[in-house]
Amino acid sequence: MVLPQAWLQPRYKKNTYLFIYYLIQFCGHSWIFTNMTARFFSFGKDSMVDTFYAIGLVMRLCQSISLLELLHIYVGIESSHLLPRFLQLTERIILLFVVITSQEEIQGKYVVCVLFIFWNLLDMVRYTYSMLSVIGISYAALTWLSQTLWMPLYPLCVLAEAFAIYQSLPYFESFGTYSTQLPFDLSIYFPYVLKTYLMVLFIGMYFTYSHLYSERRDVLRVFALQKKKM
């Protein structure tokens, strides 16, 4: 069997891989959002309490796979800046795996449901835009939405993350999770680590927000110029 010449081109292979990756992420986040919406209309506020138990596994899978994006940027198959993406992914990984997964008492809090809604709204739009972009399809409304939706939602995400960490502090203090006694009378008291991380979280938010705003300006400018040429 002879493959078409285009299939053997590195650019085609790269775009095919990225399209499949974005499609998988879109399907995962769409499933989570649809599941959460259906459960809310079926069970009302009660569904918010067991959000993590219902969709936590798929959420952890999607966020774990998203670490591939750092590799994409590093090897050059995705054009983006490494540090801002690293900060965004680190925020989610720390909160999801270190804070929420380790403390069962936090998993039933309303803030977890709110946070998952914010994350999925952002990711469904972002992955839809990215998926269509790699195959050369663009829509003005989708481009604008993907470059604008994060402006109100990203700060709300950070606030929700900070609130979840704040609510988790008493449990880390009570159970001593991740707190460790080291040699030479040294110790790691994890609640202090989380309190320090809260300050880093807001510093990182300022840096990431500034980068995303600059990126939004550039993308919308280029998109406007392309529309004029058509």
Side-chain angles (χ1 to χ4, degrees), residues 87-111:
L87 292 175
Q88 289 178 286
L89 293 177
T90 301
E91 291 174 13
R92 297 189 181 189
I93 294 298
I94 290 176
L95 193 75
L96 183 58
F97 288 93
V98 178
V99 176
I100 298 176
T101 301
S102 68
Q103 300 298 327
E104 189 174 352
E105 292 77 8
I106 291 297
Q107 296 169 11
K109 301 290 187 182
Y110 287 155
V111 68

mmCIF file of all heavy atoms in Angstrom, residues 87-111:
data_model
loop_
_atom_site.group_PDB
_atom_site.id
_atom_site.type_symbol
_atom_site.label_atom_id
_atom_site.label_comp_id
_atom_site.label_asym_id
_atom_site.label_seq_id
_atom_site.Cartn_x
_atom_site.Cartn_y
_atom_site.Cartn_z
ATOM 1 N N LEU A 87 2.863 27.413 34.544
ATOM 2 C CA LEU A 87 2.196 27.953 35.729
ATOM 3 C C LEU A 87 0.731 27.544 35.771
ATOM 4 O O LEU A 87 0.205 27.162 36.829
ATOM 5 C CB LEU A 87 2.317 29.484 35.749
ATOM 6 C CG LEU A 87 3.722 30.048 35.977
ATOM 7 C CD1 LEU A 87 3.709 31.574 35.848
ATOM 8 C CD2 LEU A 87 4.253 29.630 37.343
ATOM 9 N N GLN A 88 0.049 27.617 34.623
ATOM 10 C CA GLN A 88 -1.364 27.241 34.578
ATOM 11 C C GLN A 88 -1.564 25.765 34.919
ATOM 12 O O GLN A 88 -2.463 25.418 35.697
ATOM 13 C CB GLN A 88 -1.935 27.532 33.182
ATOM 14 C CG GLN A 88 -2.109 29.014 32.873
ATOM 15 C CD GLN A 88 -2.621 29.235 31.467
ATOM 16 O OE1 GLN A 88 -1.889 29.088 30.497
ATOM 17 N NE2 GLN A 88 -3.892 29.563 31.350
ATOM 18 N N LEU A 89 -0.737 24.909 34.335
ATOM 19 C CA LEU A 89 -0.874 23.479 34.595
ATOM 20 C C LEU A 89 -0.494 23.132 36.029
ATOM 21 O O LEU A 89 -1.131 22.279 36.663
ATOM 22 C CB LEU A 89 -0.005 22.685 33.615
ATOM 23 C CG LEU A 89 -0.431 22.731 32.155
ATOM 24 C CD1 LEU A 89 0.556 21.964 31.279
ATOM 25 C CD2 LEU A 89 -1.824 22.146 31.974
ATOM 26 N N THR A 90 0.531 23.793 36.546
ATOM 27 C CA THR A 90 0.957 23.531 37.915
ATOM 28 C C THR A 90 -0.143 23.876 38.910
ATOM 29 O O THR A 90 -0.361 23.142 39.888
ATOM 30 C CB THR A 90 2.235 24.335 38.239
ATOM 31 O OG1 THR A 90 3.270 23.973 37.328
ATOM 32 C CG2 THR A 90 2.704 24.041 39.662
ATOM 33 N N GLU A 91 -0.839 24.989 38.678
ATOM 34 C CA GLU A 91 -1.946 25.370 39.556
ATOM 35 C C GLU A 91 -2.954 24.241 39.675
ATOM 36 O O GLU A 91 -3.386 23.867 40.778
ATOM 37 C CB GLU A 91 -2.646 26.617 39.012
ATOM 38 C CG GLU A 91 -1.846 27.894 39.089
ATOM 39 C CD GLU A 91 -2.553 29.039 38.388
ATOM 40 O OE1 GLU A 91 -3.752 28.886 38.070
ATOM 41 O OE2 GLU A 91 -1.919 30.087 38.157
ATOM 42 N N ARG A 92 -3.335 23.694 38.541
ATOM 43 C CA ARG A 92 -4.371 22.652 38.531
ATOM 44 C C ARG A 92 -3.868 21.342 39.128
ATOM 45 O O ARG A 92 -4.581 20.680 39.883
ATOM 46 C CB ARG A 92 -4.866 22.429 37.109
ATOM 47 C CG ARG A 92 -5.543 23.634 36.501
ATOM 48 C CD ARG A 92 -6.196 23.275 35.185
ATOM 49 N NE ARG A 92 -6.849 24.429 34.563
ATOM 50 C CZ ARG A 92 -7.637 24.334 33.506
ATOM 51 N NH1 ARG A 92 -7.855 23.158 32.956
ATOM 52 N NH2 ARG A 92 -8.203 25.410 32.982
ATOM 53 N N ILE A 93 -2.643 20.943 38.763
ATOM 54 C CA ILE A 93 -2.100 19.685 39.251
ATOM 55 C C ILE A 93 -1.959 19.710 40.770
ATOM 56 O O ILE A 93 -2.332 18.745 41.462
ATOM 57 C CB ILE A 93 -0.739 19.388 38.591
ATOM 58 C CG1 ILE A 93 -0.914 19.145 37.086
ATOM 59 C CG2 ILE A 93 -0.068 18.200 39.266
ATOM 60 C CD1 ILE A 93 -1.779 17.943 36.743
ATOM 61 N N ILE A 94 -1.437 20.809 41.303
ATOM 62 C CA ILE A 94 -1.271 20.920 42.755
ATOM 63 C C ILE A 94 -2.618 20.875 43.456
ATOM 64 O O ILE A 94 -2.809 20.141 44.438
ATOM 65 C CB ILE A 94 -0.512 22.208 43.119
ATOM 66 C CG1 ILE A 94 0.961 22.100 42.693
ATOM 67 C CG2 ILE A 94 -0.607 22.495 44.623
ATOM 68 C CD1 ILE A 94 1.764 23.356 42.930
ATOM 69 N N LEU A 95 -3.576 21.631 42.950
ATOM 70 C CA LEU A 95 -4.875 21.671 43.610
ATOM 71 C C LEU A 95 -5.602 20.341 43.507
ATOM 72 O O LEU A 95 -6.157 19.843 44.494
ATOM 73 C CB LEU A 95 -5.745 22.782 43.008
ATOM 74 C CG LEU A 95 -6.976 23.075 43.852
ATOM 75 C CD1 LEU A 95 -6.603 23.854 45.096
ATOM 76 C CD2 LEU A 95 -8.011 23.838 43.064
ATOM 77 N N LEU A 96 -5.586 19.740 42.314
ATOM 78 C CA LEU A 96 -6.355 18.522 42.087
ATOM 79 C C LEU A 96 -5.733 17.314 42.781
ATOM 80 O O LEU A 96 -6.429 16.558 43.476
ATOM 81 C CB LEU A 96 -6.469 18.260 40.584
ATOM 82 C CG LEU A 96 -7.315 17.061 40.150
ATOM 83 C CD1 LEU A 96 -8.734 17.176 40.676
ATOM 84 C CD2 LEU A 96 -7.316 16.943 38.629
ATOM 85 N N PHE A 97 -4.431 17.120 42.620
ATOM 86 C CA PHE A 97 -3.795 15.911 43.129
ATOM 87 C C PHE A 97 -3.279 16.059 44.563
ATOM 88 O O PHE A 97 -3.329 15.094 45.334
ATOM 89 C CB PHE A 97 -2.645 15.503 42.206
ATOM 90 C CG PHE A 97 -3.107 14.945 40.888
ATOM 91 C CD1 PHE A 97 -3.256 15.772 39.783
ATOM 92 C CD2 PHE A 97 -3.404 13.601 40.755
ATOM 93 C CE1 PHE A 97 -3.683 15.256 38.572
ATOM 94 C CE2 PHE A 97 -3.833 13.072 39.551
ATOM 95 C CZ PHE A 97 -3.987 13.910 38.453
ATOM 96 N N VAL A 98 -2.770 17.233 44.903
ATOM 97 C CA VAL A 98 -2.179 17.414 46.228
ATOM 98 C C VAL A 98 -3.228 17.802 47.268
ATOM 99 O O VAL A 98 -3.238 17.268 48.378
ATOM 100 C CB VAL A 98 -1.059 18.478 46.184
ATOM 101 C CG1 VAL A 98 -0.483 18.703 47.581
ATOM 102 C CG2 VAL A 98 0.036 18.056 45.222
ATOM 103 N N VAL A 99 -4.132 18.706 46.901
ATOM 104 C CA VAL A 99 -5.096 19.229 47.874
ATOM 105 C C VAL A 99 -6.391 18.419 47.884
ATOM 106 O O VAL A 99 -6.782 17.843 48.902
ATOM 107 C CB VAL A 99 -5.397 20.722 47.607
ATOM 108 C CG1 VAL A 99 -6.462 21.241 48.563
ATOM 109 C CG2 VAL A 99 -4.119 21.548 47.749
ATOM 110 N N ILE A 100 -7.081 18.355 46.756
ATOM 111 C CA ILE A 100 -8.417 17.754 46.723
ATOM 112 C C ILE A 100 -8.362 16.236 46.871
ATOM 113 O O ILE A 100 -9.081 15.649 47.687
ATOM 114 C CB ILE A 100 -9.148 18.140 45.420
ATOM 115 C CG1 ILE A 100 -9.333 19.658 45.342
ATOM 116 C CG2 ILE A 100 -10.500 17.448 45.349
ATOM 117 C CD1 ILE A 100 -9.952 20.143 44.044
ATOM 118 N N THR A 101 -7.517 15.584 46.087
ATOM 119 C CA THR A 101 -7.477 14.121 46.115
ATOM 120 C C THR A 101 -7.038 13.591 47.476
ATOM 121 O O THR A 101 -7.518 12.540 47.921
ATOM 122 C CB THR A 101 -6.536 13.596 45.013
ATOM 123 O OG1 THR A 101 -7.001 14.064 43.737
ATOM 124 C CG2 THR A 101 -6.501 12.084 45.000
ATOM 125 N N SER A 102 -6.153 14.310 48.143
ATOM 126 C CA SER A 102 -5.604 13.805 49.406
ATOM 127 C C SER A 102 -6.528 14.037 50.600
ATOM 128 O O SER A 102 -6.348 13.409 51.644
ATOM 129 C CB SER A 102 -4.244 14.464 49.688
ATOM 130 O OG SER A 102 -4.411 15.842 49.970
ATOM 131 N N GLN A 103 -7.511 14.938 50.458
ATOM 132 C CA GLN A 103 -8.391 15.264 51.583
ATOM 133 C C GLN A 103 -9.838 14.968 51.195
ATOM 134 O O GLN A 103 -10.470 15.735 50.475
ATOM 135 C CB GLN A 103 -8.242 16.732 51.987
ATOM 136 C CG GLN A 103 -6.845 17.120 52.425
ATOM 137 C CD GLN A 103 -6.393 16.343 53.666
ATOM 138 O OE1 GLN A 103 -7.191 16.004 54.530
ATOM 139 N NE2 GLN A 103 -5.098 16.066 53.739
ATOM 140 N N GLU A 104 -10.351 13.860 51.686
ATOM 141 C CA GLU A 104 -11.707 13.452 51.338
ATOM 142 C C GLU A 104 -12.739 14.471 51.787
ATOM 143 O O GLU A 104 -13.787 14.632 51.152
ATOM 144 C CB GLU A 104 -12.008 12.096 51.961
ATOM 145 C CG GLU A 104 -13.310 11.477 51.502
ATOM 146 C CD GLU A 104 -13.513 10.070 52.019
ATOM 147 O OE1 GLU A 104 -12.564 9.528 52.623
ATOM 148 O OE2 GLU A 104 -14.607 9.513 51.822
ATOM 149 N N GLU A 105 -12.460 15.182 52.882
ATOM 150 C CA GLU A 105 -13.397 16.185 53.389
ATOM 151 C C GLU A 105 -13.570 17.358 52.428
ATOM 152 O O GLU A 105 -14.623 17.990 52.389
ATOM 153 C CB GLU A 105 -12.929 16.707 54.762
ATOM 154 C CG GLU A 105 -13.003 15.690 55.876
ATOM 155 C CD GLU A 105 -11.871 14.669 55.820
ATOM 156 O OE1 GLU A 105 -10.946 14.846 55.005
ATOM 157 O OE2 GLU A 105 -11.919 13.694 56.593
ATOM 158 N N ILE A 106 -12.541 17.653 51.652
ATOM 159 C CA ILE A 106 -12.607 18.758 50.686
ATOM 160 C C ILE A 106 -13.368 18.342 49.437
ATOM 161 O O ILE A 106 -14.010 19.166 48.774
ATOM 162 C CB ILE A 106 -11.177 19.211 50.306
ATOM 163 C CG1 ILE A 106 -10.520 19.878 51.508
ATOM 164 C CG2 ILE A 106 -11.187 20.193 49.132
ATOM 165 C CD1 ILE A 106 -11.210 21.142 51.971
ATOM 166 N N GLN A 107 -13.357 17.074 49.113
ATOM 167 C CA GLN A 107 -13.969 16.592 47.874
ATOM 168 C C GLN A 107 -15.463 16.866 47.811
ATOM 169 O O GLN A 107 -16.030 16.954 46.717
ATOM 170 C CB GLN A 107 -13.693 15.091 47.724
ATOM 171 C CG GLN A 107 -12.219 14.768 47.560
ATOM 172 C CD GLN A 107 -11.914 13.288 47.674
ATOM 173 O OE1 GLN A 107 -12.831 12.456 47.683
ATOM 174 N NE2 GLN A 107 -10.636 12.933 47.765
ATOM 175 N N GLY A 108 -16.123 16.999 48.956
ATOM 176 C CA GLY A 108 -17.560 17.251 48.968
ATOM 177 C C GLY A 108 -17.931 18.719 49.083
ATOM 178 O O GLY A 108 -19.119 19.048 49.194
ATOM 179 N N LYS A 109 -16.951 19.610 49.019
ATOM 180 C CA LYS A 109 -17.234 21.042 49.124
ATOM 181 C C LYS A 109 -17.772 21.593 47.804
ATOM 182 O O LYS A 109 -17.409 21.140 46.724
ATOM 183 C CB LYS A 109 -15.956 21.807 49.504
ATOM 184 C CG LYS A 109 -15.327 21.383 50.830
ATOM 185 C CD LYS A 109 -16.154 21.790 52.017
ATOM 186 C CE LYS A 109 -15.423 21.495 53.331
ATOM 187 N NZ LYS A 109 -16.238 21.842 54.508
ATOM 188 N N TYR A 110 -18.629 22.610 47.918
ATOM 189 C CA TYR A 110 -19.191 23.254 46.728
ATOM 190 C C TYR A 110 -18.112 23.862 45.838
ATOM 191 O O TYR A 110 -18.263 23.926 44.616
ATOM 192 C CB TYR A 110 -20.184 24.339 47.136
ATOM 193 C CG TYR A 110 -21.499 23.819 47.666
ATOM 194 C CD1 TYR A 110 -22.279 24.583 48.530
ATOM 195 C CD2 TYR A 110 -21.982 22.559 47.304
ATOM 196 C CE1 TYR A 110 -23.497 24.108 49.028
ATOM 197 C CE2 TYR A 110 -23.189 22.075 47.787
ATOM 198 C CZ TYR A 110 -23.937 22.854 48.654
ATOM 199 O OH TYR A 110 -25.128 22.377 49.135
ATOM 200 N N VAL A 111 -17.025 24.327 46.461
ATOM 201 C CA VAL A 111 -15.981 25.005 45.688
ATOM 202 C C VAL A 111 -15.363 24.075 44.651
ATOM 203 O O VAL A 111 -14.920 24.532 43.582
ATOM 204 C CB VAL A 111 -14.891 25.573 46.630
ATOM 205 C CG1 VAL A 111 -14.100 24.462 47.308
ATOM 206 C CG2 VAL A 111 -13.960 26.509 45.878
#
